[in-house]
C-alpha cells in the first residue's frame, strides 16, 4: 500500500475510534464539548464534561489496551495538558471546573477500555 493510502487508512481508523469513544462517554453520562479540538499547542481528541469535571481524553485504537496506554508518550501528555490550559482559559466557568486526563483505548474484540486519570 502506498504512503498516502496508509495515511488515509490511519486517519479513518483514528476518526472512527474517536467517534466510538465519544459515544461511549455519552452512554456513561458525559456531555461532549469538543471532538478533535485543535490549538496552536496541540490537539485534544475529546473534551467532555460531567458536572464540574472537565475531562480531556486521548483516544488510541490498538490491538491491546496496554499498547494504547504505552502509545501516549510524555511529550503527548505535555501537549494535551498545554492545549487543555488554552481551552480552559476560554471557559466562563473555568474556576469551577476540576480537570482529569483520561485515555480510551479502542480494541477490535472488546468494549472501549477507559482509563480514568491516566496522566
Amino acid at each position: 500500500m502506498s504512503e498516502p493510502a496508509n495515511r488515509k487508512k490511519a486517519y479513518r481508523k483514528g476518526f472512527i475510534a474517536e467517534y466510538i469513544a465519544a459515544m461511549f462517554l455519552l452512554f456513561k453520562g458525559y456531555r461532549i464539548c469538543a471532538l478533535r479540538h485543535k490549538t496552536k499547542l496541540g490537539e485534544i481528541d475529546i473534551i467532555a464534561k460531567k458536572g464540574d469535571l472537565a475531562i480531556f481524553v486521548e483516544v488510541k485504537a490498538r490491538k491491546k489496551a496496554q499498547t494504547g496506554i504505552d502509545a501516549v508518550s510524555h511529550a503527548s501528555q505535555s501537549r494535551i495538558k498545554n492545549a487543555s490550559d488554552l481551552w480552559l482559559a476560554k471557559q466562563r466557568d473555568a474556576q469551577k471546573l476540576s480537570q482529569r486526563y483520561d485515555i480510551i483505548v479502542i480494541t477490535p474484540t472488546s468494549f472501549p477500555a477507559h482509563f480514568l486519570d491516566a496522566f
Side-chain angles (χ1 to χ4, degrees):
M1 203 178 279
S2 67
E3 179 65 26
N6 283 338
R7 289 180 77 86
K8 192 173 183 179
K9 185 176 178 182
Y11 178 84
R12 191 176 317 122
K13 183 179 177 182
F15 184 81
I16 290 168
E18 289 168 4
Y19 180 78
I20 291 168
M23 294 299 106
F24 179 71
L25 289 171
L26 284 171
F27 181 74
K28 291 178 77 173
Y30 291 89
R31 183 172 57 89
I32 305 301
C33 299
L35 287 172
R36 291 189 166 200
H37 180 73
K38 291 177 178 43
T39 72
K40 61 185 177 183
L41 299 176
E43 180 182 300
I44 303 168
D45 292 338
I46 300 173
I47 302 171
K49 281 186 179 179
K50 191 174 195 178
D52 288 339
L53 176 65
I55 65 166
F56 303 94
V57 183
E58 181 68 6
V59 179
K60 294 294 180 188
R62 297 291 190 272
K63 290 184 180 178
K64 295 184 179 182
Q66 188 60 50
T67 57
I69 294 168
D70 294 342
V72 183
S73 67
H74 290 292
S76 295
Q77 293 174 20
S78 180
R79 262 194 313 277
I80 293 164
K81 287 180 179 180
N82 290 335
S84 72
D85 289 342
L86 288 178
W87 182 84
L88 281 166
K90 295 179 182 179
Q91 304 307 304
R92 282 185 239 146
D93 60 347
Q95 297 82 359
K96 292 189 260 176
L97 294 174
S98 299
Q99 301 171 50
R100 192 175 76 204
Y101 298 91
D102 294 359
I103 298 172
I104 295 180
V105 182
I106 305 299
T107 57
T109 57
S110 63
F111 285 107
H114 188 183
F115 299 94
L116 307 175
D117 209 12
F119 58 93

